[in-house]
Amino acid sequence: MSRKKLVSIVLAFAMSVFFTGICFAGTLSEIVKRGELRVAVQSGAPPYAFIDKNGEPAGSMVDFTKGMADAMGVKIKVLDFDWDGLIPALLSGKADILAADMTPTLKRALKISFTDPWIEVQPCVFTTTGASFKTLADVNKSDVTVGVLLGSTGETIAKKYLPNVKIKSYKGGGRMIVQALVAGHVDAGVNDDLAVLTVLPDFPPNSVRLLDKRLGQGKDPLAFAVRQDSDNLRQWINLYFKTVRSNGEYDANIAYWLEGIEWKKDH
């Protein structure tokens, strides 16, 4: 073998090792070495993630990621972003995990890698109790304005199943749409039913109702996400959820955060 060819092979090997090292930056082993798990959330989305009365991050997904950090033996750092800043935060390396009420879609999966779904929710249309809407056909008219969250699956679903309405997009959590509805800025809203139901106790009793007919074709899954070069972290998160499902921690989280309202007193 010629000296020139040998040098080329060595350089090629060195470059492959270099780029492999880059690819593994920010994955599970790096998190453990760093001693800190960085989590991107949207804090305006109770009961999934929000800032509580003590100024601390709280919510179902926050508790799950705290459990992940404990299992890794590291500290947790919760980073708050607007919805449209979540994926860029993950891709830039600011965060290791994206923990938001995000539905895995083919378009999003071109950029990031989703874990197995941890829960399923049902998209819905909601309006004020006194509104005349009874069916989706009543809502789907050109003089009706529907509020959605910017960049959310609800926005996509509203455009697909309510093509005649005017869409008004809001940045923030699901509470923003309910506030807009109660204030009279929109005639109806689209979001997942769980996100709507959990914030209704913060508004006047019986001021908002969900239409009986749900949107879409079945339930939408929600999942955590990591960078595409962090497959070992993705697999670890899937194993984490299998573990907490088997030991009862998952059921306790869901019962406290998503099936009841006791957390409102505590947070």
Side-chain angles (χ1 to χ4, degrees):
M1 181 182 297
S2 69
R3 180 181 177 84
K4 183 176 181 180
K5 187 173 183 179
L6 178 61
V7 171
S8 297
I9 293 175
V10 171
L11 286 175
F13 177 75
M15 291 296 289
S16 67
V17 171
F18 174 75
F19 284 112
T20 299
I22 291 177
C23 288
F24 276 90
T27 56
L28 184 59
S29 57
E30 179 64 25
I31 293 168
V32 174
K33 181 180 178 181
R34 183 199 309 144
E36 182 180 71
L37 174 64
R38 300 165 183 167
V39 181
V41 305
Q42 180 195 26
S43 66
Y48 302 114
F50 63 100
I51 302 299
D52 68 10
K53 60 186 178 183
N54 299 315
E56 297 294 329
S60 176
M61 301 191 81
V62 172
D63 272 7
F64 278 134
T65 54
K66 286 180 178 178
M68 293 177 196
D70 287 343
M72 292 178 186
V74 301
K75 297 179 181 179
I76 187 171
K77 184 175 183 180
V78 179
L79 305 168
D80 184 22
F81 297 92
D82 288 334
W83 181 265
D84 54 356
L86 289 169
I87 292 179
L90 183 63
L91 294 177
S92 68
K94 292 179 181 177
D96 307 303
I97 297 176
L98 192 165
D101 48 328
M102 184 174 287
T103 302
T105 65
L106 294 176
K107 184 176 181 180
R108 289 170 179 161
L110 292 173
K111 296 181 178 180
I112 58 179
S113 182
F114 287 98
T115 65
D116 294 340
W118 67 281
I119 198 170
E120 292 184 333
V121 295
Q122 179 68 61
C124 72
V125 177
F126 58 97
T127 187
T128 55
T129 301
S132 61
F133 308 130
K134 301 297 182 183
T135 66
L136 295 182
D138 295 334
V139 178
N140 189 29
K141 295 180 179 179
S142 59
D143 59 345
V144 174
T145 301
V146 173
V148 299
L149 295 179
L150 180 66
S152 69
T153 305
E155 182 179 41
T156 302
I157 288 176
K159 290 178 179 178
K160 179 177 180 179
Y161 291 96
L162 302 171
N164 297 326
V165 305
K166 299 182 184 71
I167 299 292
K168 191 170 184 178
S169 300
Y170 292 86
K171 295 182 68 173
R175 185 186 305 274
M176 297 290 294
I177 315 176
V178 181
Q179 288 176 337
L181 175 67
V182 173
H185 300 313
V186 296
D187 303 303
V190 171
N191 201 359
D192 73 72
D193 51 6
L194 186 59
V196 177
L197 292 172
T198 52
V199 301
L200 289 189
D202 297 334
F203 294 88
N206 302 316
S207 58
V208 176
R209 63 182 172 87
L210 277 61
L211 267 65
D212 291 336
K213 177 67 176 177
R214 298 297 194 257
L215 286 175
Q217 299 175 340
K219 293 187 175 182
D220 283 343
L222 302 182
F224 288 72
V226 300
R227 288 185 296 279
Q228 291 180 339
D229 60 12
S230 300
D231 195 59
N232 58 350
L233 177 57
R234 182 187 63 81
Q235 293 180 40
W236 189 92
I237 295 173
N238 287 337
L239 178 59
Y240 168 82
F241 273 105
K242 288 180 181 179
T243 302
V244 297
R245 285 179 188 275
S246 66
N247 66 19
E249 291 178 21
Y250 176 89
D251 289 340
N253 181 299
I254 299 302
Y256 179 73
W257 288 110
L258 307 183
E259 296 177 350
I261 59 173
E262 286 300 311
W263 59 267
K264 291 180 179 291
K265 299 178 182 178
D266 302 332
H267 297 275

